[in-house]
Amino acid sequence: MSLTWRDVARKDFENVVRSKLLWALTAGFVGLLAFFLVVGYVSGDADEGSMTEILAGMGQFSIFFIPLIALIAGYMAVVGERQSGSLRVLLSYPFSRSDVLVGKVVGRSVVVAAAILAGFLVVTALGVPLAGDFPALTLALVTLLTVLLGVTFTAVAVGVSAATKTRGTALAWVVGIFFLLLVMWEAVAVGLYYLVHGTRPGLQAEPWYFLLQQANPLEAFRIALGEITDSYVWPMVQLGLEDVPMGEIDPEALQTESRVEGSLPFYLQPWFSVLSFLVWMAVPLLIGYRRFRAADLE
């Protein structure tokens, strides 16, 4: 019987679903969504909202929880079995190292996608009766976009896991990447803008500045979600480093198309955000595979 990455993915899926930490985070994500929906209903705020607005409001939770769930699901994928010695047993069967890597990515992506779908089922079950409408296409697109975000960060985590030799190193890398993308990306972008122009970006800025922001998959997700729901989705973390009085500005003026003079370049169109996801999937996996292929597992 020939063995392929599908066998690795199936076995890995069965192992990951036993992770208590992963399910605790998933329960936290789903529980918080349900809590804020119920609070909105009790306070009366949900009476004036639509299901599309509820989905847009989920953005901040998704920007924080989905990468966290995916990184935790993926960072032990290869390095954990490498340190325990079970990876050598696995490779004694007719699996190639590429089979192992692809199987790990697919298996753990299915787990993350299942957690996301569970969250959206809860939101749909609670949100539709509260809002009184069912925008099926919008719901499907937001779900697909969120799964794409989860798969992207799963690929990042598995790539890191394949490239490192110890669990501690893999954990340090995924924590550092998460902190960079969630908290420090604005400082990096504003810092580069200041080096080039000698001033902080204002309400209107050069297009390349927004391209740099969109290179962050969390920003790409936020922008794409705003486009799908036709609303401005606030960032999860905002350092306030831009020369923009946030509290005094209409959210409409913060949309990218309002902040760039003239027509929007093609690389700032919302569809271009998909490229950010694809790059963040491919690069860590390629680096991880090259290091994993050359690694001495004895």
Side-chain angles (χ1 to χ4, degrees), residues 52-53 55-60 63 138 141-142 145 218-234 251-252 255-257 270 273:
T52 300
E53 289 171 330
L55 292 172
M58 285 176 56
Q60 289 189 329
I63 286 171
T138 302
L141 289 175
V142 173
L145 179 67
L218 298 179
E219 276 294 297
F221 171 81
R222 190 179 67 82
I223 292 168
L225 180 60
E227 182 68 18
I228 293 171
T229 59
D230 194 24
S231 59
Y232 182 77
V233 178
W234 291 94
E252 288 293 323
Q255 302 277 23
T256 304
E257 57 265 30
S273 299

Short mmCIF file of all heavy atoms in Angstrom, two decimals, residues 52-53 55-60 63 138 141-142 145 218-234 251-252 255-257 270 273:
data_model
loop_
_atom_site.label_atom_id
_atom_site.label_comp_id
_atom_site.label_asym_id
_atom_site.label_seq_id
_atom_site.Cartn_x
_atom_site.Cartn_y
_atom_site.Cartn_z
N THR A 52 -24.59 41.93 8.70
CA THR A 52 -23.33 42.36 8.09
C THR A 52 -22.50 43.18 9.08
O THR A 52 -21.28 43.02 9.16
CB THR A 52 -23.62 43.20 6.83
OG1 THR A 52 -24.35 42.41 5.91
CG2 THR A 52 -22.34 43.66 6.18
N GLU A 53 -23.15 44.04 9.86
CA GLU A 53 -22.43 44.84 10.86
C GLU A 53 -21.88 43.94 11.97
O GLU A 53 -20.81 44.18 12.51
CB GLU A 53 -23.35 45.90 11.44
CG GLU A 53 -23.66 47.01 10.44
CD GLU A 53 -24.74 47.95 10.92
OE1 GLU A 53 -25.62 47.49 11.68
OE2 GLU A 53 -24.71 49.13 10.54
N LEU A 55 -20.90 40.86 11.54
CA LEU A 55 -19.73 40.20 10.96
C LEU A 55 -18.53 41.14 10.93
O LEU A 55 -17.40 40.73 11.19
CB LEU A 55 -20.06 39.71 9.54
CG LEU A 55 -21.07 38.57 9.45
CD1 LEU A 55 -21.46 38.31 8.00
CD2 LEU A 55 -20.50 37.30 10.07
N ALA A 56 -18.78 42.41 10.62
CA ALA A 56 -17.68 43.39 10.63
C ALA A 56 -17.13 43.55 12.05
O ALA A 56 -15.91 43.67 12.25
CB ALA A 56 -18.16 44.73 10.10
N GLY A 57 -18.03 43.52 13.04
CA GLY A 57 -17.60 43.64 14.43
C GLY A 57 -16.78 42.46 14.91
O GLY A 57 -16.00 42.57 15.86
N MET A 58 -16.94 41.31 14.24
CA MET A 58 -16.15 40.13 14.60
C MET A 58 -14.69 40.29 14.20
O MET A 58 -13.83 39.52 14.65
CB MET A 58 -16.69 38.88 13.88
CG MET A 58 -17.96 38.32 14.42
SD MET A 58 -18.50 36.94 13.39
CE MET A 58 -17.06 35.87 13.44
N GLY A 59 -14.42 41.27 13.35
CA GLY A 59 -13.08 41.42 12.79
C GLY A 59 -12.00 41.48 13.84
O GLY A 59 -10.96 40.81 13.73
N GLN A 60 -12.21 42.31 14.87
CA GLN A 60 -11.16 42.48 15.88
C GLN A 60 -10.91 41.18 16.65
O GLN A 60 -9.76 40.87 16.97
CB GLN A 60 -11.53 43.61 16.83
CG GLN A 60 -11.44 44.98 16.18
CD GLN A 60 -11.59 46.10 17.17
OE1 GLN A 60 -12.28 45.96 18.16
NE2 GLN A 60 -10.95 47.23 16.89
N ILE A 63 -8.90 38.96 14.27
CA ILE A 63 -7.51 39.40 14.09
C ILE A 63 -6.64 38.93 15.25
O ILE A 63 -5.46 38.63 15.07
CB ILE A 63 -7.47 40.94 13.95
CG1 ILE A 63 -8.00 41.35 12.57
CG2 ILE A 63 -6.05 41.48 14.15
CD1 ILE A 63 -8.20 42.84 12.43
N THR A 138 -22.48 37.34 1.93
CA THR A 138 -21.53 38.04 2.81
C THR A 138 -21.01 37.09 3.88
O THR A 138 -19.80 37.07 4.17
CB THR A 138 -22.22 39.24 3.48
OG1 THR A 138 -22.72 40.11 2.46
CG2 THR A 138 -21.24 40.01 4.35
N LEU A 141 -18.50 34.72 2.30
CA LEU A 141 -17.24 35.37 1.96
C LEU A 141 -16.41 35.67 3.22
O LEU A 141 -15.19 35.48 3.23
CB LEU A 141 -17.50 36.67 1.19
CG LEU A 141 -18.03 36.50 -0.24
CD1 LEU A 141 -18.37 37.85 -0.85
CD2 LEU A 141 -16.99 35.79 -1.10
N VAL A 142 -17.07 36.14 4.28
CA VAL A 142 -16.35 36.43 5.53
C VAL A 142 -15.80 35.13 6.13
O VAL A 142 -14.67 35.09 6.62
CB VAL A 142 -17.27 37.15 6.54
CG1 VAL A 142 -16.56 37.30 7.89
CG2 VAL A 142 -17.65 38.52 6.02
N LEU A 145 -12.81 34.11 4.03
CA LEU A 145 -11.67 35.00 4.31
C LEU A 145 -11.03 34.64 5.65
O LEU A 145 -9.79 34.62 5.78
CB LEU A 145 -12.15 36.46 4.33
CG LEU A 145 -11.09 37.52 4.63
CD1 LEU A 145 -10.08 37.59 3.50
CD2 LEU A 145 -11.75 38.89 4.84
N LEU A 218 -2.54 40.49 8.71
CA LEU A 218 -3.62 40.96 9.58
C LEU A 218 -4.27 42.21 9.00
O LEU A 218 -5.50 42.38 9.07
CB LEU A 218 -3.09 41.23 10.99
CG LEU A 218 -2.51 40.03 11.74
CD1 LEU A 218 -2.01 40.45 13.12
CD2 LEU A 218 -3.56 38.93 11.86
N GLU A 219 -3.44 43.10 8.45
CA GLU A 219 -3.98 44.30 7.80
C GLU A 219 -4.72 43.91 6.52
O GLU A 219 -5.77 44.48 6.20
CB GLU A 219 -2.85 45.27 7.47
CG GLU A 219 -2.45 46.17 8.62
CD GLU A 219 -3.57 47.14 8.98
OE1 GLU A 219 -3.95 47.97 8.16
OE2 GLU A 219 -4.10 47.03 10.10
N ALA A 220 -4.15 42.95 5.77
CA ALA A 220 -4.81 42.49 4.54
C ALA A 220 -6.19 41.93 4.86
O ALA A 220 -7.17 42.18 4.15
CB ALA A 220 -3.95 41.43 3.86
N PHE A 221 -6.27 41.18 5.97
CA PHE A 221 -7.56 40.62 6.40
C PHE A 221 -8.53 41.75 6.77
O PHE A 221 -9.70 41.74 6.37
CB PHE A 221 -7.35 39.71 7.59
CG PHE A 221 -8.63 39.24 8.25
CD1 PHE A 221 -9.35 38.18 7.71
CD2 PHE A 221 -9.11 39.87 9.39
CE1 PHE A 221 -10.53 37.75 8.31
CE2 PHE A 221 -10.29 39.45 9.99
CZ PHE A 221 -11.01 38.39 9.45
N ARG A 222 -8.04 42.73 7.52
CA ARG A 222 -8.89 43.84 7.97
C ARG A 222 -9.45 44.63 6.78
O ARG A 222 -10.64 44.97 6.74
CB ARG A 222 -8.08 44.76 8.89
CG ARG A 222 -8.89 45.82 9.62
CD ARG A 222 -8.00 46.65 10.53
NE ARG A 222 -7.06 47.46 9.78
CZ ARG A 222 -7.34 48.64 9.21
NH1 ARG A 222 -8.57 49.13 9.33
NH2 ARG A 222 -6.43 49.32 8.55
N ILE A 223 -8.58 44.90 5.80
CA ILE A 223 -9.00 45.66 4.64
C ILE A 223 -10.01 44.86 3.80
O ILE A 223 -11.04 45.40 3.36
CB ILE A 223 -7.77 46.04 3.79
CG1 ILE A 223 -6.91 47.05 4.56
CG2 ILE A 223 -8.18 46.61 2.44
CD1 ILE A 223 -5.54 47.27 3.97
N ALA A 224 -9.72 43.58 3.59
CA ALA A 224 -10.63 42.75 2.80
C ALA A 224 -11.98 42.59 3.52
O ALA A 224 -13.04 42.62 2.87
CB ALA A 224 -10.00 41.38 2.55
N LEU A 225 -11.95 42.44 4.84
CA LEU A 225 -13.20 42.31 5.60
C LEU A 225 -14.03 43.60 5.49
O LEU A 225 -15.25 43.55 5.34
CB LEU A 225 -12.89 42.02 7.07
CG LEU A 225 -14.08 41.87 8.01
CD1 LEU A 225 -14.99 40.72 7.57
CD2 LEU A 225 -13.63 41.66 9.45
N GLY A 226 -13.34 44.75 5.55
CA GLY A 226 -14.04 46.02 5.39
C GLY A 226 -14.69 46.15 4.02
O GLY A 226 -15.79 46.68 3.90
N GLU A 227 -14.00 45.64 3.00
CA GLU A 227 -14.55 45.69 1.64
C GLU A 227 -15.79 44.79 1.52
O GLU A 227 -16.79 45.19 0.93
CB GLU A 227 -13.47 45.25 0.64
CG GLU A 227 -13.91 45.30 -0.81
CD GLU A 227 -14.12 46.71 -1.31
OE1 GLU A 227 -13.62 47.66 -0.68
OE2 GLU A 227 -14.80 46.88 -2.36
N ILE A 228 -15.72 43.60 2.10
CA ILE A 228 -16.85 42.66 2.01
C ILE A 228 -18.07 43.21 2.75
O ILE A 228 -19.20 43.10 2.29
CB ILE A 228 -16.45 41.29 2.58
CG1 ILE A 228 -15.38 40.63 1.68
CG2 ILE A 228 -17.66 40.37 2.70
CD1 ILE A 228 -14.78 39.37 2.28
N THR A 229 -17.83 43.78 3.93
CA THR A 229 -18.95 44.26 4.76
C THR A 229 -19.27 45.73 4.54
O THR A 229 -20.16 46.28 5.21
CB THR A 229 -18.63 44.04 6.26
OG1 THR A 229 -17.42 44.75 6.59
CG2 THR A 229 -18.44 42.56 6.57
N ASP A 230 -18.52 46.38 3.62
CA ASP A 230 -18.74 47.79 3.29
C ASP A 230 -18.70 48.66 4.55
O ASP A 230 -19.60 49.47 4.81
CB ASP A 230 -20.10 47.98 2.58
CG ASP A 230 -20.21 49.34 1.92
OD1 ASP A 230 -19.16 49.94 1.62
OD2 ASP A 230 -21.34 49.83 1.73
N SER A 231 -17.67 48.45 5.36
CA SER A 231 -17.53 49.21 6.60
C SER A 231 -16.05 49.35 6.94
O SER A 231 -15.20 48.67 6.36
CB SER A 231 -18.26 48.51 7.75
OG SER A 231 -17.72 47.21 7.93
N TYR A 232 -15.76 50.26 7.86
CA TYR A 232 -14.37 50.41 8.32
C TYR A 232 -14.17 49.51 9.54
O TYR A 232 -14.86 49.66 10.55
CB TYR A 232 -14.07 51.86 8.69
CG TYR A 232 -12.63 52.06 9.13
CD1 TYR A 232 -11.61 52.11 8.19
CD2 TYR A 232 -12.31 52.18 10.48
CE1 TYR A 232 -10.28 52.27 8.58
CE2 TYR A 232 -10.99 52.34 10.88
CZ TYR A 232 -9.99 52.39 9.93
OH TYR A 232 -8.68 52.54 10.32
N VAL A 233 -13.24 48.58 9.43
CA VAL A 233 -12.93 47.67 10.53
C VAL A 233 -11.72 48.23 11.27
O VAL A 233 -10.64 48.37 10.69
CB VAL A 233 -12.63 46.25 10.01
CG1 VAL A 233 -12.27 45.32 11.17
CG2 VAL A 233 -13.83 45.70 9.24
N TRP A 234 -11.89 48.53 12.55
CA TRP A 234 -10.81 49.12 13.33
C TRP A 234 -9.72 48.09 13.59
O TRP A 234 -10.01 46.91 13.81
CB TRP A 234 -11.33 49.66 14.66
CG TRP A 234 -12.20 50.86 14.49
CD1 TRP A 234 -13.56 50.87 14.39
CD2 TRP A 234 -11.78 52.21 14.38
NE1 TRP A 234 -14.02 52.15 14.22
CE2 TRP A 234 -12.95 53.00 14.21
CE3 TRP A 234 -10.55 52.86 14.39
CZ2 TRP A 234 -12.91 54.39 14.07
CZ3 TRP A 234 -10.50 54.23 14.24
CH2 TRP A 234 -11.66 54.98 14.08
N PRO A 251 -14.69 57.59 10.33
CA PRO A 251 -14.08 56.35 9.84
C PRO A 251 -14.02 56.26 8.32
O PRO A 251 -13.12 55.64 7.76
CB PRO A 251 -14.99 55.26 10.43
CG PRO A 251 -15.53 55.86 11.67
CD PRO A 251 -15.71 57.32 11.35
N GLU A 252 -14.99 56.89 7.63
CA GLU A 252 -14.97 56.86 6.16
C GLU A 252 -13.69 57.48 5.61
O GLU A 252 -13.16 57.05 4.59
CB GLU A 252 -16.19 57.60 5.62
CG GLU A 252 -17.50 56.88 5.81
CD GLU A 252 -17.59 55.59 5.00
OE1 GLU A 252 -17.08 55.59 3.86
OE2 GLU A 252 -18.12 54.60 5.51
N GLN A 255 -10.58 55.15 5.29
CA GLN A 255 -10.48 54.12 4.26
C GLN A 255 -9.30 54.43 3.34
O GLN A 255 -9.01 55.59 3.06
CB GLN A 255 -11.77 54.06 3.44
CG GLN A 255 -13.02 53.78 4.26
CD GLN A 255 -13.23 52.29 4.52
OE1 GLN A 255 -12.27 51.52 4.47
NE2 GLN A 255 -14.44 51.90 4.83
N THR A 256 -8.64 53.40 2.85
CA THR A 256 -7.45 53.60 2.02
C THR A 256 -7.75 54.48 0.80
O THR A 256 -6.96 55.37 0.45
CB THR A 256 -6.90 52.23 1.54
OG1 THR A 256 -6.64 51.41 2.68
CG2 THR A 256 -5.61 52.41 0.77
N GLU A 257 -8.89 54.27 0.15
CA GLU A 257 -9.20 55.06 -1.05
C GLU A 257 -9.37 56.54 -0.74
O GLU A 257 -9.20 57.38 -1.63
CB GLU A 257 -10.47 54.52 -1.73
CG GLU A 257 -11.70 54.48 -0.85
CD GLU A 257 -11.90 53.13 -0.20
OE1 GLU A 257 -10.86 52.46 0.05
OE2 GLU A 257 -13.04 52.76 0.08
N PRO A 270 -8.57 45.97 -2.95
CA PRO A 270 -8.79 44.94 -1.91
C PRO A 270 -8.40 43.53 -2.35
O PRO A 270 -7.90 42.74 -1.55
CB PRO A 270 -10.29 45.06 -1.64
CG PRO A 270 -10.62 46.47 -1.97
CD PRO A 270 -9.75 46.82 -3.14
N SER A 273 -5.04 41.95 -1.56
CA SER A 273 -4.75 41.42 -0.22
C SER A 273 -4.48 39.92 -0.26
O SER A 273 -3.71 39.40 0.56
CB SER A 273 -5.93 41.68 0.73
OG SER A 273 -6.16 43.05 0.86
#
